[in-house]
Amino acid sequence: MESYEAPVVWDEREWGLKAGELQALRLRQVVRPVLGPWVVVGDARIDGRARLAALSLAGRERLPLGAVVCGEAAAWAWAGGESPTALQARVRRVHRSPAPGDPAVVLIDALPPDADTTSVGSCLVTTPLRTALDLLATGNASPQLCRAPLEGVGQ
């Protein structure tokens, strides 16, 4: 398994600001959203490392131990684009549905083989190739979305 060092991504919930104050920071682009409540400050680039860092933080908070992020959430982590509205993750059958939160979580029974996963901080993510194959297998993903994880690696 490969491992990536995560850059600084901030959790705006820890700042103790009111919703209006947080919204003002976003409107002025003092902070820019990456995923759910995780943001980057100022003109920091939201690149693959920032996406993977946010995914790691979201996974640690929202996913059961041993879950593997997959599908559109993994494609976003590898290639960018629009942030996912839900974290899709593969888990062992024993896990129950998670509580509501931001981002939402969709759990899928069946873990992929270890060779098809990579470690991102404390979170596991399907490799770019496995992500592309999973998206193709759904039958409802566009060809561009299926190619994106393979083309986006290294950004």
Side-chain angles (χ1 to χ4, degrees), residues 33-85:
V34 180
L35 178 65
W38 292 279
V39 297
V40 293
V41 176
D43 62 353
R45 187 169 171 222
I46 301 177
D47 59 4
R49 288 178 38 151
R51 291 188 305 270
L52 290 168
L55 188 65
S56 177
L57 293 167
R60 185 176 351 159
E61 181 177 300
R62 301 283 299 133
L63 298 176
L65 190 62
V68 179
V69 175
C70 63
E72 291 181 17
W76 168 78
W78 295 120
E82 196 70 28
S83 296
T85 56

